[in-house]
Amino acid sequence: MAVVTGAGQGIGAALARALAAEGARVVVNDINGANADEVARLLSEEGLQAIGEHSDISSFDGAEALMEAAVQAYGGVDILVNNAGILRDRMSFNMSEAEWDQVIAVCLKGTFACARAAVRHMRRSGKPGRIINISSRSGLRGSIGQANYAAAKAGVLGLTRTMSREVEKYGITVNAISPRAVTGMTDSVPDAVRRKKDASWSDSSVVLRGSPAQVAPAVLYLASEEAQWVNGQVIGIGGDKLSLWTHPRETVEAYSFGGWTLQKIRELFRPTFGSELQSVGNKD
Ligand SMILES: NC(=O)c1ccc[n+]([C@@H]2O[C@H](COP(=O)([O-])OP(=O)(O)OC[C@H]3O[C@@H](n4cnc5c(N)ncnc54)[C@H](O)[C@@H]3O)[C@@H](O)[C@H]2O)c1
C-alpha cells in the first residue's frame, strides 16, 4: 500500500504507475485534484489499484488527511514517496518572502508533515515501512536562482538522515532520491539557463535527464523488501545514470590545544586547507 504525493503528473505519476504495476495499491495525491483523479482512473482502467486524493501536503492537517484517506481506502500505508514539489526561482537578492515561504512549505515542511504522519501509522502496524524523499541535485550542490528550493531540498537530506536513525528500530527505512527527468517542472526553467546547463553535458552521449519513468526503478528498489538494509542514503537517478552520493564529512582536521587564534588560522589555512578547498558548482 503506497502513497505518492504530487503524483498528478511528472515524476510522481510515473512512480505511482510503477508501484501499482508492481502490485501496490496506490493513493495518488495531488493538490491538482483533477490530475490526481485522472492518473488514478487511467491506472484503474488498466486493472491496477489506485485512488485519487487531493490534500495540500504543505500542512500537518493536509498530511494527516492524506494518511487517513490511505487508511480508509487500503487499511494503512507501507510506502510513502514524498514527491510533491514546486519551484519559485529568482536570484536570492530579488526573492520575495512569499516565494521563499511557498517553496519551503511544499518541499520541506510538506515532506516532514507526510513522513511524520506516515511513521505514526507505520509504527502502529508493526510491518516494515518505507519512506522515500525526493530531494534534488540543487540541495546537494547548490543552484543559482534557487536559494529557496536548494535550502528546502538540502533540508530534506538532513530530515532523511535524522528520521532514518530515529525509525530504524521499527523496521522503517528513510532514504532520498535525487532525480533528473524532463517534466513540467523542468519546462519552467528559463530557456537560457537550460541551454547553458545542457551545454555542459553535450560532449557525452550519456542521457542524464530522461523520462520520468526512468526514475522509477530506484524507488521500486528502495521500496522493496530486499532493500531493508539500505537506510539514510541518497541515490541519484536519471536517464542512463545511477549514483550513490556521499554524506558530508570533514576533509581535513587540525587541532590547536587551548583553541584557535586568528594568527594560528592564518598560518595554517592556506598551506593545510588550501588544496582541499572545493569549488561549489553544478558542472560535474
Ligand atoms: N524533474 C526533475 O528533473 C527534477 C530534478 C530534481 C528534483 N525533482 C523533484 O522531483 C519531484 C517531482 O518533480 P516533477 O519534475 O515531476 O514536477 P511537476 O511539477 O511535474 O510535479 C509536481 C507535482 O506536485 C504537485 N504539488 C505541488 N504542490 C503540492 C502540494 N502542496 N500538495 C500536493 N501536491 C502538490 C503539483 O501539482 C504537481 O503535480 C519534485 O519534488 C521535484 O522537486 C525533479
Side-chain angles (χ1 to χ4, degrees):
M1 195 286 95
V3 172
V4 185
T5 68
Q9 64 179 47
I11 293 173
L15 300 182
R17 169 172 292 277
L19 286 160
E22 287 295 308
R25 291 169 293 169
V26 180
V27 177
V28 178
N29 158 270
D30 206 292
I31 196 169
N32 183 328
N35 281 358
D37 289 347
E38 179 62 4
V39 169
R41 189 185 66 76
L42 290 171
L43 295 178
S44 305
E45 263 180 21
E46 292 171 35
L48 304 172
Q49 294 194 69
I51 57 155
E53 202 280 341
H54 309 171
S55 294
D56 173 353
I57 54 78
S58 66
S59 71
F60 279 32
D61 282 352
E64 298 284 356
L66 169 56
M67 297 315 148
E68 209 39 59
V71 171
Q72 291 299 321
Y74 297 133
V77 46
D78 306 320
I79 301 164
L80 166 66
V81 184
N82 271 313
N83 167 82
I86 59 168
L87 293 178
R88 296 286 184 271
D89 289 3
R90 204 174 300 282
M91 294 301 269
S92 50
F93 38 85
N94 291 325
M95 189 172 284
S96 69
E97 187 170 357
E99 286 163 342
W100 173 267
D101 285 348
Q102 286 163 7
V103 171
I104 299 292
V106 177
C107 295
L108 181 56
K109 184 181 171 189
T111 298
F112 176 63
C114 290
R116 174 184 176 276
V119 160
R120 290 170 161 234
H121 287 289
M122 287 172 180
R123 278 184 66 193
R124 272 201 294 273
S125 83
K127 291 193 286 178
R130 296 283 184 269
I131 296 179
I132 299 158
N133 295 326
I134 306 298
S135 181
S136 169
R137 200 176 170 81
S138 296
L140 287 148
R141 302 279 293 164
S143 178
I144 292 171
Q146 296 194 316
N148 47 4
Y149 182 76
K153 292 296 192 178
V156 165
L157 301 175
L159 172 62
T160 300
R161 293 188 180 108
T162 299
M163 285 192 75
S164 68
R165 291 165 63 185
E166 288 180 351
V167 301
E168 192 167 26
K169 57 177 171 289
Y170 306 112
I172 303 169
T173 66
V174 187
N175 290 287
I177 295 267
S178 171
R180 270 177 164 175
V182 178
T183 66
M185 182 174 274
T186 58
D187 284 349
S188 75
V189 176
D191 269 357
V193 174
R194 218 158 16 143
R195 271 202 299 275
K196 214 155 75 192
K197 287 190 173 171
D198 286 348
S200 64
W201 305 330
S202 61
D203 54 346
S204 161
S205 58
V206 169
V207 177
L208 297 177
R209 191 181 290 278
S211 68
Q214 286 179 303
V215 173
V219 170
L220 292 180
Y221 179 71
L222 291 175
S224 71
E225 263 177 54
E226 67 185 286
Q228 184 67 45
W229 61 285
V230 184
N231 197 21
Q233 302 303 314
V234 184
I235 311 289
I237 187 161
D240 298 332
K241 183 173 171 184
L242 178 72
S243 61
L244 177 65
W245 284 84
T246 57
H247 297 297
R249 62 183 177 85
E250 291 150 324
T251 49
V252 201
E253 292 170 48
Y255 298 88
S256 171
F257 294 104
W260 287 88
T261 61
L262 172 60
Q263 186 53 33
K264 281 183 178 173
I265 291 177
R266 276 191 175 135
E267 284 163 14
L268 171 117
F269 208 85
R270 190 179 283 275
T272 309
F273 285 13
S275 61
E276 297 295 327
L277 291 186
Q278 293 162 14
S279 69
V280 177
N282 240 343
K283 294 236 157 49
D284 63 339

